[in-house]
Amino acid sequence: MRNFTGLLVNEWLKLSKKRSFFVAYAILAVVFGILAYAFYELSPDGLNSTVDFATGTIMLQAAGQLVPVLAVLAAAGSVTQEHRYGTIKFLLIRAQSRNKILASKYIISVVYTLTLVLTAAVLAVVAGYIVYGGGAGESTWSDFLTNIASLAVYSIVFVTMTFMIGILTKSNGASIGVGIFSMMVGSLLVMLLSRYTITKYLLFSNTDLSVYNGEGPPIEGMTMAFSIVILLVYMALFLSVSFAVFKKRDIA
Amino acid sequence: MKTAKISNPSIVLQLDGLTKKIGGKAIVDGLSFDIAKGEVVGLLGPNGAGKTTTMRMIVGLIGMTSGDVRICGQSVRTNFEQAISHVGGIIENPEFYPYMTGYDNLMQYKRMTAGVTEARIAEVTRLVGMQDALGKRVKAYSLGMRQRLGIAQALLHEPKLLILDEPTNGLDPAGIREMREYLKQIAEAEGIAILVSSHLLSEIELMCSRIVVIQEGKLVTIRSLGESETPTQKLLSISLQVGNAERAQELINLMEDITIARADALTNRITLQLRQDQIPGLVGKLSTAGVEIYRIEEVRETLEEEFMKLTGGNRIA
Ligand SMILES: Nc1ncnc2c1ncn2[C@@H]1O[C@H](COP(=O)(O)OP(=O)(O)O)[C@@H](O)[C@H]1O
Ligand SMILES: [Mg+2]
């Protein structure tokens, strides 16, 4: 157990010792700063409180979209950078199973994603408070928390997919490309195929759980429980492939 | 079940019919040899002979097609974590996280193994002479410094076996000499077995007690260096220059246990193999038969020449 904690610390340090580590957080800070300034200047209709601002900006369709993008950038590198640096040869000749090593990498990719979600949430509230100083609006704290939870789920799903692609391709660029491309094109695809009921089994039809608290699901008859089951099935698939391939791979 | 193999406690590394096939081609083919505690063994072969592939299988980076590797009695195939806990290694170039310091890199490997202390980090750092550079980022390191840090990471968990793949690659002659010195020192100080590969015998023969020569994935020969056979029993190569090579040849063919390697009627030179105690008899026979002897010389083959002959020369480097 002490050993596994060591692996987690190692993975966290591989991320945080990079000079670029703070850039992701800084980008979030700048974007929420700009939004706060814009809202202060323009005071758009329908947004009247700190909670309104926070709930609206953290949505996937708004600044929230940055979180999965930044998370995917890091998840893509988790395994691929070890190949690129050649450090995989030192990593895998320790008295640690490949499963444990990969598990520590995946867990830290998820933890890092959650720190981005948390940072975005705090920034949204702080920026909203600076502009509105509280106030009364339509949204509730419960809406805000729902949006944070959906953002976290969406990000983790794409992080898991990107993580797998990194293991399959060993290429940082390819994993980032596929990860971000499917985020962009996924929802478009669902829109185009929404006539067919089979579309509801597509990963991308289920990634944004916030629809159940608002506009409704992309295909008639879908429920939150259905989407969660579909997401779990996909995640299990991605992780099984990741662990199976990583365990068997010849490191040349 | 192979239960016949009685495990000798002093055997640290045991290769047993180790084979790797990729795409139907055997890159390493039925390789077997042992290394005992404290031995420094060279794995020698021309480029492409399969040295790196063999070492990758020993440390479990790639799977084996058949055969097995046992380290201190534990199979790499079935008992990987126990087996690998006795091994430190560098396969091909030593690579580190370039944005971290040497110290941070060593700390990564410290956290992966139970029982490695800060004092141990200081100890191995001193052993490879890296005290002053440990606080610098690895991207500022020279190749020689990375080699040293590589050896430091390999020694961190006090392994019983060190696997070093062409550690002298890219080093200048002074660097090679230095590397040789501190590997010897490490073998003595830590009492560990070392398997070191090279495509140049001259770079490792001074530190190895034994050489395993491979070519195209197959074992060619295993040689002990500094072998002490009794001189009277040892087969010598002798070159004779005589007055009449044909006549001499006829006479020699009648003698037991002497083989003619080459005979050249033009220069009247004959090269033959015999034991030292047969020489006086040979000279006597030739003289009495009236064959003049102008020269008797021993043909000494250096190990390097022998290696070249065994492996068909070094085709690439
Ligand atoms: N992954 C691989 N796929 C196909 N051939 C390989 C692979 N790895 C090595 N080889 C081939 O196996 C042979 C041995 O390679 P290697 O073990 O690197 O030799 P050495 O280290 O002795 O120079 C070479 O001919 C090389 O081309
Ligand atoms: Mg090699």
Side-chain angles (χ1 to χ4, degrees):
Chain A
M1 203 53 230
R2 197 202 77 86
N3 268 343
F4 193 69
T5 316
L7 294 183
L8 294 174
V9 172
N10 276 352
E11 291 307 319
W12 182 256
L13 290 174
K14 284 176 202 171
L15 279 179
S16 63
K17 291 253 176 194
K18 281 201 175 139
R19 288 229 168 100
S20 58
F21 177 66
F22 292 102
V23 172
Y25 300 101
I27 288 174
L28 288 175
V30 168
V31 166
F32 278 98
I34 290 171
L35 281 177
Y37 181 74
F39 277 61
Y40 174 75
E41 286 290 312
L42 305 171
S43 39
D45 290 342
L47 276 173
N48 301 307
S49 69
T50 300
V51 187
D52 278 353
F53 177 91
T55 308
T57 51
I58 204 142
M59 286 205 309
L60 271 171
Q61 291 74 16
Q65 181 71 70
L66 270 173
V67 169
V69 170
L70 294 169
V72 157
L73 290 180
S78 184
V79 171
T80 60
Q81 298 281 57
E82 303 275 4
H83 283 284
R84 190 170 77 100
Y85 293 136
T87 44
I88 188 111
K89 289 182 298 185
F90 283 161
L91 187 66
L92 296 185
I93 60 168
R94 309 284 142 184
Q96 296 282 353
S97 70
R98 289 195 184 187
N99 280 341
K100 271 198 211 159
I101 289 172
L102 195 65
S104 70
K105 286 189 165 293
Y106 179 67
I107 289 171
I108 290 304
S109 296
V110 171
V111 167
Y112 174 73
T113 305
L114 294 177
T115 69
L116 291 174
V117 172
L118 196 69
T119 306
V122 170
L123 285 167
V125 172
V126 169
Y129 190 80
I130 291 171
V131 179
Y132 294 98
E138 276 178 33
S139 307
T140 62
W141 283 109
S142 156
D143 294 329
F144 177 62
L145 290 179
T146 306
N147 281 2
I148 291 177
S150 328
L151 182 66
V153 168
Y154 181 94
S155 304
I156 289 170
V157 169
F158 280 99
V159 157
T160 309
M161 190 181 87
T162 307
F163 190 75
M164 174 189 71
I165 294 165
I167 291 162
L168 294 179
T169 63
K170 294 186 260 177
S171 156
N172 197 29
S175 325
I176 292 174
V178 174
I180 293 181
F181 179 81
S182 47
M183 247 187 269
M184 303 295 156
V185 175
S187 48
L188 204 66
L189 199 68
V190 173
M191 231 157 38
L192 288 173
L193 300 175
S194 60
R195 286 182 287 140
Y196 311 104
T197 46
I198 195 144
T199 305
K200 67 182 177 184
Y201 297 106
L202 210 61
L203 172 69
F204 308 122
S205 311
N206 299 281
T207 44
D208 183 4
L209 295 178
S210 72
V211 294
Y212 296 107
N213 191 37
E215 62 193 84
I219 289 151
E220 205 75 31
M222 289 170 69
T223 63
M224 173 103 112
F226 171 83
S227 285
I228 289 174
V229 169
I230 294 288
L231 289 181
L232 287 176
V233 169
Y234 273 99
M235 298 264 288
L237 178 74
F238 294 157
L239 288 175
S240 316
V241 170
S242 299
F243 279 83
V245 171
F246 191 73
K247 193 171 174 60
K248 283 271 163 263
R249 164 157 296 155
D250 275 359
I251 306 296
Chain B
M1 275 304 289
K2 262 191 217 171
T3 45
K5 218 142 217 157
I6 295 158
S7 67
N8 176 346
S10 75
I11 297 295
V12 175
L13 173 69
Q14 186 173 38
L15 269 63
D16 182 6
L18 188 61
T19 301
K20 178 73 177 180
K21 287 189 183 148
I22 298 181
K25 186 175 171 266
I27 292 173
V28 172
D29 198 354
L31 207 54
S32 302
F33 62 88
D34 294 349
I35 299 185
K37 189 163 174 275
E39 254 195 312
V40 182
V41 173
L43 182 62
L44 196 64
N47 284 319
K51 304 181 293 295
T52 300
T53 306
T54 301
M55 290 181 149
R56 281 185 204 283
M57 282 191 279
I58 293 174
V59 298
L61 283 176
I62 64 178
M64 352 179 165
T65 310
S66 62
D68 201 356
V69 171
R70 271 180 291 271
I71 296 159
C72 299
Q74 310 269 12
S75 161
V76 169
R77 201 194 257 282
T78 58
N79 235 349
F80 176 74
E81 285 175 60
Q82 277 93 325
I84 202 71
S85 68
H86 303 296
V87 185
I90 311 178
I91 307 297
E92 294 190 316
N93 301 320
E95 315 272 16
F96 295 93
Y97 305 102
Y99 54 90
M100 291 190 200
T101 63
Y103 179 76
D104 288 338
N105 271 283
L106 290 184
M107 282 299 286
Q108 284 276 323
Y109 303 113
K110 171 190 182 294
R111 287 188 206 96
M112 294 187 77
T113 320
V116 180
T117 59
E118 294 272 342
R120 178 64 183 167
I121 292 190
E123 192 183 343
V124 293
T125 310
R126 223 175 316 113
L127 200 61
V128 297
M130 283 287 288
Q131 306 90 305
D132 298 334
L134 216 57
K136 289 202 192 100
R137 279 172 206 267
V138 170
K139 68 174 157 223
Y141 281 16
S142 66
L143 179 60
M145 288 161 85
R146 275 190 282 130
Q147 287 284 16
R148 284 156 183 267
L149 192 63
I151 290 178
Q153 70 73 36
L155 290 174
L156 216 48
H157 49 294
E158 301 182 49
K160 300 212 169 65
L161 172 69
L162 206 53
I163 302 287
L164 303 173
D165 189 14
E166 310 231 12
T168 51
N169 247 6
L171 296 184
D172 57 19
I176 291 169
R177 195 162 53 238
E178 211 175 303
M179 157 89 57
R180 204 153 52 207
E181 288 312 312
Y182 72 70
L183 283 184
K184 263 186 181 167
Q185 192 193 330
I186 286 163
E188 273 163 36
E190 308 258 323
I192 59 182
I194 303 183
L195 178 66
V196 55
S197 77
S198 181
H199 62 278
L200 287 174
L201 176 67
S202 57
E203 290 187 356
I204 54 169
E205 70 175 319
L206 290 178
M207 54 178 282
C208 295
S209 56
R210 221 149 39 101
I211 299 275
V212 174
V213 182
I214 63 169
Q215 187 183 16
E216 289 174 7
K218 289 195 182 68
L219 183 72
V220 176
T221 180
I222 298 180
R223 274 310 149 87
S224 291
L225 299 182
E227 207 167 13
S228 53
E229 279 177 278
T230 48
T232 49
Q233 287 308 307
K234 196 178 168 189
L235 271 186
L236 299 173
S237 259
I238 296 285
S239 166
L240 290 180
Q241 193 181 8
V242 293
N244 183 343
E246 268 173 58
R247 177 87 186 105
Q249 217 175 328
E250 282 166 23
L251 289 165
I252 294 167
N253 278 335
L254 297 174
M255 299 179 70
E256 265 172 60
D257 287 344
I258 302 183
T259 42
I260 298 182
R262 274 189 301 277
D264 187 340
L266 211 66
T267 57
N268 280 326
R269 266 190 184 275
I270 299 175
T271 308
L272 37 86
Q273 253 137 25
L274 76 179
R275 293 193 318 272
Q276 179 170 303
D277 56 9
Q278 293 176 303
I279 295 175
L282 172 74
V283 172
K285 273 244 169 73
L286 292 177
S287 302
T288 45
V291 177
E292 303 94 333
I293 303 176
Y294 297 100
R295 277 195 180 79
I296 305 182
E297 289 157 338
E298 185 178 355
V299 184
R300 258 182 202 279
E301 220 165 7
T302 65
L303 202 51
E304 188 78 55
E305 282 164 338
E306 203 179 334
F307 165 60
M308 287 295 190
K309 217 165 68 190
L310 285 170
T311 63
N314 198 341
R315 280 156 299 174
I316 298 163

